[in-house]
Amino acid sequence: MAPARKQKGPSTTKSTQSSREAANITPKRPDPVALPVEVQQMMLDVFRRAFPFNNNLDVKTVIQEVKGHLFQRDFTSAFAKQEYLGAYALRWSAARALGYSDILLHSDLQQVWLGETAASATPNTQKTTSANRVACIGGGGGAEVAACAVATRSYSLPHLEVHPIDIADWSSCLNQLENVLCTPPPLSPYASESAKASNRSLIASDQFTVRFSQCDILAVGEARLHDMLANMHLCTIMFTLNELFTSSISRTTAFLLALTDSMQSGSWLLVVDSPGSYSEVKLGQGQTKKYPMKWLLDHTLQEVAQGKWKKHVSDDSRWFRLNPSLKYPLELENMRYQIHLYQRVS
C-alpha cells in the first residue's frame, strides 16, 4: 500500500475553490431516467425470495439485533452470523438497491455505461462491451449487485461481471442473490399459458456474473489490490468511504492512492455516501478536527494523486424517494446521499 501523504486543511479561498470546481464538474444536473415501477417491484421480490427466513426465527427480532450492533458501530458483531447477513440484506439492501439503480440509470452515469455518446442516448438504445466489469468496495450486502443487474438489463449490456469486495463473508448470500436474479419467479400451478410464456428472470444468467472477494480493503497488499481492480471499468464505494476514513484517514488515503495506481486510464470511480459526512483527524495533544469526507476525497484524488482523476459529477445532497405503490413486508426508507463521480486520466 502506498504511504500516506501529509494532510492539508481545507482551502480558505472560496473563489479559487469555486472556479476549480466549476471547470471540472458538470454544471447542470440532468434529469434522471425513471426505472419502471414494475422493475422496482421485481427487485424487491428478488430480495424476498433470496433471503427467506426460517419460521423458527423472528426476522424482526434478528433485524433489531443487527440494528443494535450497527448503532454501536460494532460491525464485526453485526455481520458475524449468517442470519444477521440475511436480515441485513432483507431490511436494508433491498431499499438501497432501488436507490443505487436510480443512481446508475441517472443521466449523469450514462457516460459510464455508454461512453462519449451518452449525452444523446437513453437506456436500451445502444449496446456496449466496454462496461463489462464493476468492482464494489463494501458491496457484500448485495444492493450494488442488484443495481448492476438492473443496469445490465436497462442498457442491454451483453455481459457484466460484478466483483463485490467486503470484510465479512457474504459469499453464501451473494450466491443466493445471483441465483434468484437469474431465475424466473415461481408461478402457481394454475397460471395461464400466457403468464408462463411471459415469466422472466430480472436478468439472464448468461448476461450477469458475480465474483466475491473477502478482504479488509485497508489491509490488502498492493499486488492483490491491483489484481482486483486493474481490469475494472467502474469501481463503486457506496456508503463505505466515510467509515473507512473514520477508522483511519492515513490508511484510507493510502488505499485511494493505491486504487489510483491500479485502475486503468478511462475507468471510473463512483463514491456515494451520507450527506454531510465528516471524519475526525487527531492533531496531537488530544485535539481533533473534523474534515468533510468530500474534501478528504478531493484532496486525495485531485491534489495528492496529482491530476490523475477528472471529476465529472459532484453533488452534496440528492434524494431517492420510494414509489408509494411498492409492496414489501418490511419498512423501506427513502435515501438521501452525496455523490461524486471521477474518471481516471493518463
Side-chain angles (χ1 to χ4, degrees):
M1 193 70 71
R5 271 65 165 182
K6 184 178 180 181
Q7 301 296 324
K8 298 180 181 178
S11 171
T12 58
T13 307
K14 292 184 178 180
S15 60
T16 302
Q17 181 179 355
S18 298
S19 61
R20 184 191 305 127
E21 290 186 350
N24 293 333
I25 305 169
T26 304
K28 181 181 178 181
R29 184 194 307 177
D31 293 330
V33 177
L35 183 66
V37 67
E38 59 269 21
V39 180
Q40 296 183 45
Q41 187 62 59
M42 285 180 68
M43 293 180 69
L44 294 179
D45 293 343
V46 161
F47 278 89
R48 291 181 62 178
R49 289 160 53 209
F51 305 105
F53 259 69
N54 188 305
N55 291 333
N56 295 327
L57 287 174
D58 182 351
V59 62
K60 293 185 178 180
T61 299
V62 177
I63 288 173
Q64 283 302 116
E65 292 177 12
V66 176
K67 192 173 183 179
H69 292 310
L70 294 174
F71 182 79
Q72 298 294 330
R73 303 181 66 83
D74 183 359
F75 301 111
T76 301
S77 298
F79 303 125
K81 301 178 182 179
Q82 196 64 35
E83 59 263 33
Y84 283 2
L85 299 179
Y88 181 93
L90 195 63
R91 168 61 178 83
W92 286 283
S93 295
R96 284 275 174 89
L98 294 177
Y100 293 171
S101 298
D102 188 70
I103 291 170
L104 295 183
L105 297 185
H106 196 284
S107 302
D108 284 346
L109 270 290
Q110 288 184 22
Q111 58 191 321
V112 174
W113 304 104
L114 302 176
E116 297 300 323
T117 58
S120 59
T122 56
N124 296 318
T125 61
Q126 292 196 27
K127 294 186 179 182
T128 178
T129 58
S130 60
N132 60 355
R133 289 187 180 90
V134 178
C136 304
I137 308 298
E144 293 94 323
V145 169
C148 285
V150 167
T152 305
R153 171 193 176 107
S154 299
Y155 289 113
S156 300
L157 303 180
H159 186 264
L160 185 69
E161 179 181 294
V162 185
H163 189 178
I165 302 168
D166 208 297
I167 194 170
D169 185 5
W170 288 92
S171 54
S172 178
C173 288
L174 290 173
N175 285 338
Q176 292 169 223
L177 182 62
E178 180 184 11
N179 180 62
V180 175
L181 284 167
C182 300
T183 303
L187 293 177
S188 163
Y190 307 104
S192 65
E193 291 302 318
S194 62
K196 294 177 182 178
S198 62
N199 192 30
R200 296 284 186 273
S201 59
L202 192 144
I203 189 69
S205 58
D206 60 355
Q207 280 184 278
F208 195 70
T209 305
V210 179
R211 184 165 61 91
F212 174 67
S213 291
Q214 182 184 5
C215 67
D216 179 353
I217 201 65
L218 297 186
V220 68
E222 287 189 23
R224 186 182 180 195
L225 186 68
H226 184 273
D227 288 343
M228 290 191 292
L229 300 180
N231 295 317
M232 295 296 163
H233 178 78
L234 170 66
C235 179
T236 68
I237 311 179
M238 307 283 222
F239 287 92
T240 297
L241 186 60
N242 196 61
E243 294 294 342
L244 297 179
F245 272 129
T246 299
S247 66
S248 173
I249 287 181
S250 61
R251 294 172 69 199
T252 303
T253 299
F255 154 66
L256 290 173
L257 294 174
L259 176 149
T260 298
D261 292 338
S262 298
M263 295 191 69
Q264 61 189 348
S265 178
S267 59
W268 298 85
L269 173 64
L270 173 64
V271 176
V272 172
D273 221 302
S274 301
S277 297
Y278 285 77
S279 296
E280 288 189 344
V281 180
K282 293 183 179 180
L283 304 176
Q285 298 183 357
Q287 295 182 338
T288 61
K289 186 172 182 178
K290 288 188 175 182
Y291 289 92
M293 185 211 76
K294 172 187 174 181
W295 180 85
L296 292 168
L297 178 63
D298 272 346
H299 173 70
T300 303
L301 296 186
Q302 300 199 294
E303 296 184 36
V304 182
Q306 299 179 334
K308 294 180 180 177
W309 292 96
K310 178 182 178 183
K311 184 190 286 189
H312 284 259
V313 176
S314 186
D315 200 331
D316 292 339
S317 180
R318 290 187 183 181
W319 275 101
F320 167 73
R321 300 186 187 279
L322 293 156
N323 189 305
S325 68
L326 294 172
K327 296 177 174 59
Y328 199 64
L330 299 172
E331 180 184 5
L332 297 173
E333 297 168 347
N334 298 324
M335 188 177 82
R336 183 170 172 245
Y337 60 95
Q338 60 175 298
I339 179 172
H340 312 286
L341 178 66
Y342 305 82
Q343 187 174 28
R344 183 72 164 84
V345 294
S346 300

